[in-house]
Amino acid sequence: MKMSDDNVCVDCLSEYLNLQDNKFGGKLPSSFGLLQQLDFINLNDNRLSGAIPLDLEYVMSRIEVCMSNNYLTGELPSFSERVSDTSSHGKIKIRIERIKLDSNRLRGSIPRGFGEMTTLQELSLSQNLLSGTIVNMEKLTSMEILKLGGNKLSGSIPQILPPTLKQFDMEYNQILSIPTEIGYLTNIGMFCFRWFSCYSYIAFCLC
């Protein structure tokens, strides 16, 4: 079954949308950008393709966005935290806690806005085609799970890492150095770093 604007009823949805593992195909409808009441979007394990609608980053109250294991392409929306004054209750600050987009075909760099998400607890972008450098993590004061393995990220891991970090997966990228600050993460339970080419292989995994 394909998703389209014709079979998404904007007014019928509550705060929770769970369509995981339903074999939905096709592109994500642009009307997803109008689902301002949603706190939780779970479209994991389907056959969705095409780009993520850019309007999705304007969904006001979303807390979790999960679209892992699909065939999504294009670049990442910024999903940046915004303050909206369109509500009758005054200004509402968006609180994004989890973004799970691993195992897709997303390209481009990780938007800088990801480094501004102070409420973000999990960011899973593993197994995509992302490139460029890792964003500054100094403001990610709530981050617990960060999975970026299996991409084409380059440069170095930022020296300032979230002290709350518990899982950090950076394996199979093009990053060749590990900052000594990793040793000061007292909450870390899993850190994976592997890199290989036809000339050399480097592996380090702390579990």
Side-chain angles (χ1 to χ4, degrees):
M1 179 178 178
K2 290 188 176 181
M3 278 193 159
S4 68
D5 289 319
D6 294 332
N7 57 31
V8 175
C9 177
V10 173
D11 296 327
C12 299
L13 294 172
S14 60
E15 297 177 352
Y16 189 96
L17 175 64
N18 187 355
L19 297 175
Q20 182 176 0
D21 196 13
N22 275 288
K23 298 182 181 180
F24 283 120
K27 296 181 179 181
L28 283 169
S30 58
S31 56
F32 263 66
L34 302 175
L35 304 179
Q36 297 184 357
Q37 71 272 34
L38 281 180
D39 284 338
F40 181 90
I41 302 173
N42 186 354
L43 297 173
N44 289 341
D45 305 310
N46 281 289
R47 300 172 181 174
L48 299 172
S49 59
I52 300 172
L54 293 178
D55 287 344
L56 190 61
E57 68 175 289
Y58 292 98
V59 178
M60 287 167 34
S61 59
R62 71 202 174 282
I63 294 177
E64 297 191 21
V65 177
C66 304
M67 299 181 185
S68 301
N69 297 312
N70 281 286
Y71 302 99
L72 298 173
T73 58
E75 298 186 355
L76 287 168
S78 68
F79 291 108
S80 57
E81 289 187 325
R82 300 173 183 271
V83 174
S84 174
D85 56 4
T86 59
S87 170
S88 58
H89 300 289
K91 293 185 177 181
I92 299 176
K93 188 168 185 177
I94 297 170
R95 295 180 59 254
I96 305 176
E97 295 180 359
R98 287 179 177 81
I99 297 176
K100 302 176 70 173
L101 293 169
D102 44 298
S103 298
N104 280 286
R105 298 172 181 175
L106 299 169
R107 297 178 177 271
S109 60
I110 301 175
R112 292 184 180 180
F114 278 67
E116 304 290 328
M117 298 181 186
T118 57
T119 60
L120 192 61
Q121 298 175 16
E122 178 178 356
L123 178 61
S124 295
L125 300 174
S126 298
Q127 306 303 321
N128 278 287
L129 301 169
L130 299 172
S131 57
T133 57
I134 303 174
V135 297
N136 190 307
M137 300 185 193
E138 188 171 357
K139 296 181 180 180
L140 300 180
T141 53
S142 301
M143 181 68 71
E144 296 182 355
I145 300 173
L146 181 58
K147 296 183 178 180
L148 302 174
N151 283 288
K152 299 179 180 181
L153 298 171
S154 58
S156 59
I157 297 174
Q159 290 186 342
I160 300 178
L161 297 169
T164 52
L165 204 57
K166 295 179 180 179
Q167 296 182 29
F168 189 16
D169 177 11
M170 277 301 307
E171 60 182 357
Y172 301 121
N173 278 285
Q174 299 173 10
I175 293 174
L176 300 180
S177 62
I178 304 174
T180 57
E181 285 76 11
I182 288 285
Y184 298 104
L185 298 177
T186 57
N187 294 314
I188 196 80
M190 185 195 80
F191 171 62
C192 289
F193 175 88
R194 291 186 181 92
W195 178 87
F196 72 94
S197 70
C198 57
Y199 302 106
S200 60
Y201 175 82
I202 301 172
F204 178 83
C205 192
L206 172 65
C207 298

